[in-house]
Amino acid sequence: MSMKRIGFVGYDGVTALDLFGPLEVFDTANTHSPDAQRFYEPVVLSPTGAPFMLEQRVLVTPHAALADALPLDTVILPGGSGARDSNKTQMIATWLRANANKFRRTASVCIGIYILGETGLLDGRRA
């Protein structure tokens, strides 16, 4: 099985648990492989590659900007108060809309669904 790159999209106002909880799940899967094979490469992304501030007032430095993130197998949109602010998430929604056909799957955590909803990718679908 080839390693799958998983992108976790950060932004100002993201909740630490929604970002790092899912990231830890993929990282833990890597440490429980019987043959020490790494299945996932978790990467933290931000719209421009600049650090972003968690709701908990912790500054996070991402691995890359959205523009430099591809290829990705999966994109995860964590929730947080910033997800309700389209000024903070417009660049993310635009990037997702333009690149959605390049990922195997896209997921959201909690109110990260607001960002996904902004893209129009949920139109006509149950969520």
Side-chain angles (χ1 to χ4, degrees):
M1 179 172 146
S2 64
M3 189 170 358
K4 296 191 179 341
R5 191 168 153 96
I6 313 296
F8 298 86
V9 182
Y11 50 89
D12 287 333
V14 68
T15 299
L17 180 62
D18 287 6
L19 175 64
F20 293 115
L23 189 148
E24 187 171 349
V25 169
F26 285 95
D27 188 59
T28 299
N30 284 333
T31 63
H32 285 79
S33 169
D35 58 1
Q37 180 181 2
R38 293 184 58 84
F39 299 109
Y40 303 105
E41 178 189 359
V43 292
V44 177
L45 308 168
S46 76
T48 65
F52 56 91
M53 186 68 69
L54 299 176
E55 264 187 1
Q56 293 73 24
R57 307 300 303 157
V58 175
L59 192 65
V60 176
T61 302
H63 295 102
L66 293 176
D68 302 322
L70 299 175
L72 294 168
D73 175 76
T74 301
V75 173
I76 298 180
L77 302 160
S81 61
R84 292 184 171 124
D85 183 345
S86 62
N87 292 323
K88 292 180 181 178
T89 61
Q90 181 180 19
M91 186 181 239
I92 298 167
T94 299
W95 178 82
L96 280 169
R97 197 172 22 261
N99 292 285
N101 64 340
K102 298 175 185 168
F103 321 130
R104 185 168 59 98
R105 64 182 162 205
T106 304
S108 67
V109 178
C110 195
I111 62 172
I113 194 80
Y114 282 56
I115 302 169
L116 196 51
E118 234 183 286
T119 68
L121 296 172
L122 296 175
D123 292 355
R125 295 182 173 194
R126 267 178 81 154

